[in-house]
Amino acid sequence: MQTAKRGDRVTVQYIGTLDNGRIFDSTTDETPLVFTIGAEEVFPALEREVVGMKAGETRNILLPADKAYGPRREENVLTLRREAFPADREIKVGQKLSLEFKDGKERVMLVTRVGEGEVTLDGNHPLAGMDLTFALRLDGID
């Protein structure tokens, strides 16, 4: 029976959970995860775990934070004066804003606090700093 290797296009189903058991993401039969091993379309650590699996095989995979979205970084949290934003723009906690930095790069950041004259934005991925567990089933190898 064929096993998954670098260059193969694979179809997987998964349920992703956090340490507290909360599901952060999952696939369905209608929306499986399809990727090419080695093409850096998913976490490299996840690709490595799929290598050697056979179609129909299941596996539980733990990705520590540093192999997933990385650690939370305080340098990704910014506090800006309210005047940095258009006066007529409503800014609320939970809102995502796209900011352009001096180097010309744009970055989507989450508003985490709106205070007296200041707005705090977090550019960390929501799952940064968290270990992720995947209950994974390899459905197909092309």
Side-chain angles (χ1 to χ4, degrees), residues 45-58:
L46 184 60
E47 287 184 337
R48 283 191 297 274
E49 291 289 339
V50 172
V51 169
M53 288 181 71
K54 296 178 173 101
E57 186 176 345
T58 60

Side-chain angles (χ1 to χ4, degrees), residues 24-39:
F24 67 85
D25 195 17
S26 64
T27 58
T28 66
D29 288 337
E30 293 80 32
T31 59
L33 175 62
V34 180
F35 65 94
T36 300
I37 299 173

Side-chain angles (χ1 to χ4, degrees), residues 83-104:
E83 292 83 32
F85 303 93
D88 61 342
R89 182 163 190 183
E90 182 182 8
I91 298 177
K92 301 181 293 190
V93 171
Q95 181 179 11
K96 292 181 181 177
L97 300 176
S98 180
L99 298 180
E100 185 173 333
F101 288 83
K102 289 179 184 176
D103 62 4

